[in-house]
Each structure stands twice: as structure tokens, then as C-alpha cells.
Amino acid sequence: MIKLLRVDHRLLHGQVAFSWKAHVDADCILIANDSVVKDDLRKTSLKLAKPAGTKLVIKSIKDSIDSINSGVTDKYKLLIVVESIKDAYELIKNCGIKKLNLGGTKATSETRNISKAMNITPKEEELLKDLVGIGCDVEIQMVPDDPAIKVEKVL
């Protein structure tokens, strides 16, 4: 069962590994990311950040979609973390996920800031509007204790 899908460019770190994991009572963290799968150094550092007693799985976006849709992940209380809004969009569109948590994305010359840590491009804004339009509940929330902000209020 998917407990949370979160966009966080840092992937697995303290807020995710402890605050969000505990908040949603996850027993498995899925890092869905095409580049991490091919990067042994990043995989090793993510494994070091894994909370004790929690399963960590690192898969490509396609393999993540296939695993979720096959039912193999149903036995877990799953926290999915992706690096980008585009990756979250792919999972939502292909797996029927109904809720998205936006944690943080990097600021660049192409982005605009919509919250303390969320920076989006015009293309990402269109993806978020599409998700809201199909009934996906998209909220910005850094940590569980912060108030959740509906993304449509800041777009």
C-alpha cells in the first residue's frame, strides 16, 4: 500500500528517513530514480541514510511503475521518494496514485519559487496543473508538522 509519494531533490535524508517515515508508518522506502540506479556511490550513500528496520529499494521509474502495478509492493507500507515533479507525474499517471507531497526542488535560473523549498519550471507548473485537474491531491509540506498548502493556491 502506498502511504506517500514525495518529491524531494535530496531523496533520502533526515526529514524523509525519520519524520516522514514515522508519520506515515512506512516499512519500505522506494527511491524511484533513473540516475541513482546507475550510480553506485549515490546508492551507497542512500543505503547509509536508511532507517534501521526499514527496507530500502532503489529502482528506475519504469521498474518502479512495473513493480507497483504488478502488486509486488502491496505487502509493504510504502514511502516513495522521487527527485522531480516529472518523475512523480509518471508514477501518478501510470499507477493511479491520488496524492502527491511536494518537499523540495532546487532553484535554477529556469525556476520560480512557490514555497520555502519548492522551485518549479513552467513545464513543471503545467504538470502540476494537470495532476490537480485529474483529481490528484497535491500539497506542499516540508515536514509533517508544517501546515500543508494546496499547490493550486500558489500556482
Side-chain angles (χ1 to χ4, degrees):
M1 164 191 283
I2 297 170
K3 302 294 275 185
L4 182 70
L5 170 59
R6 178 175 171 86
V7 174
D8 194 317
H9 71 274
R10 298 173 294 174
L11 295 173
L12 188 57
H13 57 91
Q15 287 174 350
V16 171
F18 299 101
S19 298
W20 283 107
K21 181 220 168 281
H23 182 71
V24 300
D25 191 31
D27 58 11
C28 182
I29 298 172
L30 169 61
I31 304 294
N33 184 279
D34 290 337
S35 64
V36 172
V37 167
K38 302 173 203 161
D39 186 334
D40 288 337
L41 182 60
R42 282 184 80 189
K43 279 195 281 194
T44 299
S45 64
L46 289 169
K47 288 174 184 174
L48 291 172
K50 176 187 82 73
T54 304
K55 182 176 180 68
L56 175 65
V57 179
I58 301 169
K59 291 187 173 284
S60 68
I61 296 299
K62 182 190 179 319
D63 288 347
S64 296
I65 291 167
D66 291 345
S67 293
I68 291 165
N69 289 336
S70 76
V72 73
T73 62
D74 291 353
K75 63 185 172 192
Y76 297 107
K77 294 181 273 185
L78 195 61
L79 167 57
I80 306 170
V81 186
V82 296
E83 197 170 40
S84 70
I85 291 167
K86 179 185 169 290
D87 289 347
Y89 184 86
E90 289 301 315
L91 287 170
I92 291 165
K93 290 293 246 184
N94 288 288
C95 299
I97 298 168
K98 299 292 184 202
K99 185 166 182 161
L100 175 61
N101 170 269
L102 300 175
T105 52
K106 291 181 185 176
T108 70
S109 60
E110 299 170 359
T111 62
R112 72 179 180 97
N113 183 266
I114 59 168
S115 76
K116 184 167 57 172
M118 279 305 301
N119 303 282
I120 62 170
T121 65
K123 173 65 176 163
E124 290 169 332
E125 182 169 352
E126 292 306 312
L127 294 176
L128 291 171
K129 286 178 179 177
D130 185 46
L131 291 176
V132 170
I134 63 167
C136 186
D137 182 15
V138 183
E139 295 179 333
I140 302 168
Q141 190 175 20
M142 285 290 294
V143 294
D145 291 340
D146 286 349
I149 300 165
K150 298 286 185 194
V151 76
E152 54 267 34
K153 291 185 178 179
V154 296
L155 293 181

